[in-house]
Amino acid sequence: MFVKEELQTKLLVLTPVEKAEAIQILTENLTSGSPAIQKTPGVVGGDACIGRTRIPVWSLVSYRRLDASDAIILEAFPHLTAADLVNAWAYADAYPDEIEQAIRENNEVMQEDEVV
């Protein structure tokens, strides 16, 4: 148990960015090296997406802001796992400005489409 307590103590002092990186490392290790969150130029505008998908993190954050629970999100996206959501929330916590900007830009595009 000493190792677990020591690890917990070290994890608690990490910054949100460092925690997100730690989660990514652990997830990649558990999922045969697939990146948990990835950015691919030309795919979804280069936004951060759940690994192996075209689902941007900002869209999941938007669902959550509409009071969708993790269970509802997983039901809407049956190919996602609870680990995918953990990674999305960690990424969003680590990069809030990036997520806010992506949500803002998407909302602007949607408003422009409504006007046309």
Side-chain angles (χ1 to χ4, degrees):
M1 281 300 176
F2 177 72
V3 172
K4 180 181 174 185
E5 291 170 1
E6 183 179 342
L7 180 59
Q8 183 176 9
T9 301
K10 290 180 179 181
L11 289 172
L12 290 174
V13 299
L14 295 176
T15 67
V17 170
E18 292 168 334
K19 287 177 183 175
E21 290 170 353
I23 289 170
Q24 179 123 4
I25 290 166
L26 291 170
T27 302
E28 286 175 9
N29 182 271
L30 293 172
T31 59
S32 304
S34 294
I37 304 293
Q38 60 189 40
K39 291 182 176 184
T40 306
V43 175
V44 192
D47 289 340
C49 292
I50 302 297
R52 310 165 323 278
T53 77
R54 294 174 151 270
I55 301 170
V57 173
W58 65 260
S59 70
L60 298 173
V61 171
S62 292
Y63 272 104
R64 203 178 217 193
R65 288 182 181 172
L66 296 171
D67 291 328
S69 66
D70 286 5
I72 290 172
I73 294 169
L74 290 173
E75 190 175 303
F77 299 93
H79 54 284
L80 292 184
T81 65
D84 290 327
L85 295 184
V86 168
N87 288 317
W89 310 147
Y91 188 91
D93 286 344
Y95 302 99
D97 294 339
E98 174 185 329
I99 298 302
E100 289 304 319
Q101 180 178 347
I103 290 171
R104 216 173 16 258
E105 289 173 358
N106 182 67
N107 288 339
E108 289 170 3
V109 168
M110 295 302 287
Q111 288 173 350
E112 289 173 8
D113 286 348
E114 290 175 3
V115 172
V116 173

